[in-house]
Amino acid sequence: MTTHATPAPTPAVLVLEDGSAWEGSAYGAVGSTLGEAVFSTGMTGYQETLTDPSYAGQIVIQTAPHIGNTGVNDEDAESRRIWVAGYAVREAARISSNWRSQRSLDEELTAQGIVGIRGIDTRALTRRLREVGAMRAGIFSGDQADRPRAELLAEVRDSAGMLGRRLAEEVSIAEEHIVEPSEWGWEGEPRGTVVAVDLGIKSMTPRRFAERGLRTVIVPADTGFQRIRELGADGVFFSNGPGDPETADEQVQLLREVLRAKIPFFGICFGNQLLGRALGFGTYKLPFGHRGINQPVLDRATGTVEITAQNHGFAVDAPLDGPVTAPQEEFGRVEVSHVCLNDDVVEGLRCLDLPAFSVQYHPEAAAGPHDAAYLFDRFIDSLPAAGSAAATAQKAGK
């Protein structure tokens, strides 16, 4: 009987800026990468996580112990590529077992040049980040892992942090793109047009609009208000996205023009933070952020608790104690509409004198629960051209 020796795994190490290091083996491409180390608690949906532009510039650590079991396919990606700066898992699946799988996760990471590490204690690493906070980090594999540890640490400490980092323009599309409702089963004429400013939009978001009869015109992050007017926007949407919201002055100014024109507005994640800034509130960096598909949020108007998908490291600094006049007084009254039950972080804003609202989480449910899908109906109800959400849902056969 002929036997074949199993090739020795390629060594890899993850180095945090506090000097701690985690040794494992290479996963995906071999080389080096730098980014902010963050953890995600989702037990499923790793392909959606990897392709979420909000993760640009970050090394994602999965707390779920087994990753890659179902492989990857061409349908579940949330953007045109993988955006994470690096990837860390405990146990990488050796076999992809799913009827929709087209290739393994290891193959996909390698093909897209994503440097990862496997075989490390990701839960201990997560506890470290919960104690100290999100930190700059680097993954080094192959020959890079053989370099002196002090040299690797110096490289990590010289890398850019997330505070003050502007990334939305880097992940945004370069040219306008239209998603017609007929592409997702809507019959008849569109019920309105929403202009979606792509700050890192996920592909499921325009699909949710299309299912409800709305045409979505996705525009680059640097689009101006005049172009939004030319497109005949019945409503404006600001997407999720990466980076520090304090760097997005142009988008904040655009949103203020939208509010002054009283065009209905809906924002999620980064869009929530920018609505907060447009109203005059500040934003701040969370110690380690909210990332996963199991975050509990209270809808303060109804008392309903929603389990939500989240991916953010910044939050809006707004008062929780009832409606207040916005610091930018021209926009009238505003209230915190949703709150995270884990830490009282602002999870939503609602303007009381303007047709504008936002949430910090991801109601499009990719990946994640469907508890917050009603928010798309709420937005449609605010559009004069679209009619009631009940009517649109009925026509779509929902």
Side-chain angles (χ1 to χ4, degrees):
M1 182 176 66
T2 302
T3 60
H4 299 279
T6 302
T10 302
V13 60
L14 186 150
V15 179
L16 294 178
E17 68 174 284
D18 67 352
S20 59
W22 311 77
E23 296 182 355
S25 56
Y27 189 40
V30 174
S32 65
T33 189
L34 300 167
E36 180 185 50
V38 300
F39 60 88
S40 174
T41 59
M43 295 183 69
T44 61
Y46 58 79
Q47 185 175 347
E48 290 89 343
T49 293
L50 288 165
T51 55
D52 179 352
S54 296
Y55 279 114
Q58 296 178 321
I59 294 173
V60 175
I61 297 120
Q62 295 277 185
T63 60
H66 293 92
I67 296 294
N69 306 59
T70 56
V72 298
N73 59 56
D74 294 331
E75 290 77 42
D76 291 347
E78 282 300 310
S79 186
R80 57 194 180 276
R81 49 164 283 196
I82 292 176
W83 288 102
V84 302
Y87 201 45
V89 304
R90 180 163 186 162
E91 296 292 339
R94 291 173 292 173
I95 298 173
S96 300
S97 180
N98 186 276
W99 68 274
R100 298 176 67 237
S101 176
Q102 295 172 294
R103 52 199 170 275
S104 73
L105 178 55
D106 190 14
E107 291 171 334
E108 188 75 354
L109 293 170
T110 301
Q112 297 202 34
I114 305 301
V115 175
I117 185 171
R118 62 181 177 178
I120 64 173
D121 190 342
T122 53
R123 296 198 175 186
L125 176 53
T126 296
R127 286 196 296 270
R128 183 66 178 164
L129 296 177
R130 283 182 60 89
E131 292 167 358
V132 180
M135 288 182 275
R136 291 171 294 178
I139 298 175
F140 306 89
S141 59
D143 293 342
Q144 292 291 318
D146 294 334
R147 294 163 54 196
R149 193 61 54 82
E151 187 177 309
L152 301 182
L153 178 59
E155 188 171 330
V156 169
R157 290 177 173 172
D158 286 342
S159 64
M162 198 55 66
L163 269 174
R165 196 165 181 188
R166 182 169 178 161
L167 292 171
E169 285 82 0
E170 295 184 20
V171 303
S172 181
I173 57 172
E175 298 179 356
E176 293 175 6
H177 172 66
I178 299 176
V179 177
E180 295 287 356
S182 58
E183 297 176 34
W184 294 102
W186 181 262
E187 297 180 2
E189 293 298 313
R191 300 187 66 87
T193 298
V194 57
V195 175
V197 179
D198 178 12
L199 307 171
I201 197 169
K202 296 165 71 175
S203 62
M204 187 60 76
T205 302
R207 174 176 173 176
R208 295 299 184 224
F209 288 130
E211 290 170 343
R212 291 161 171 80
L214 285 184
R215 171 189 291 117
T216 305
V217 183
I218 305 172
V219 299
D222 59 358
T223 299
F225 183 68
Q226 181 59 38
R227 181 55 183 159
I228 287 177
R229 280 292 204 192
E230 292 170 355
L231 291 169
D234 296 302
V236 173
F237 173 79
F238 273 23
S239 76
N240 57 289
D244 186 343
E246 292 295 332
T247 65
D249 292 340
E250 290 84 355
Q251 289 80 18
V252 169
Q253 182 56 39
L254 168 62
L255 181 46
R256 285 176 175 162
E257 293 183 78
V258 170
L259 297 178
R260 291 184 183 114
K262 297 186 178 179
I263 301 173
F265 172 80
F266 177 27
I268 67 171
C269 200
F270 202 66
N272 177 69
Q273 296 159 15
L274 297 192
L275 178 59
R277 283 201 59 204
L279 296 172
F281 298 113
T283 59
Y284 63 98
K285 195 173 189 303
L286 295 167
F288 46 82
H290 300 163
R291 296 175 181 88
I293 57 177
N294 55 355
Q295 306 288 329
V297 168
L298 175 67
D299 183 335
R300 304 177 86 189
T302 65
T304 301
V305 176
E306 303 166 10
I307 303 303
T308 68
Q310 299 198 17
N311 173 16
H312 65 108
F314 293 83
V316 176
D317 186 9
L320 301 179
D321 52 350
V324 297
T325 299
Q328 289 284 327
E329 296 182 1
E330 64 177 304
F331 300 128
R333 298 168 299 149
V334 62
E335 66 179 1
V336 172
S337 59
H338 297 74
V339 177
C340 181
L341 291 177
N342 287 334
D343 53 15
D344 286 337
V345 164
V346 172
E347 293 284 354
L349 298 168
R350 184 167 73 97
C351 293
L352 302 181
D353 300 313
L354 294 171
F357 72 97
S358 60
V359 292
Q360 186 57 63
Y361 48 94
H362 289 243
E364 82 292 331
H370 294 248
D371 296 27
Y374 70 91
L375 292 167
F376 290 96
D377 297 323
R378 178 181 294 178
F379 180 54
I380 290 172
D381 279 342
S382 72
L383 308 182
S388 71
T392 60
Q394 183 177 11
K395 185 168 183 180
K398 303 300 177 184

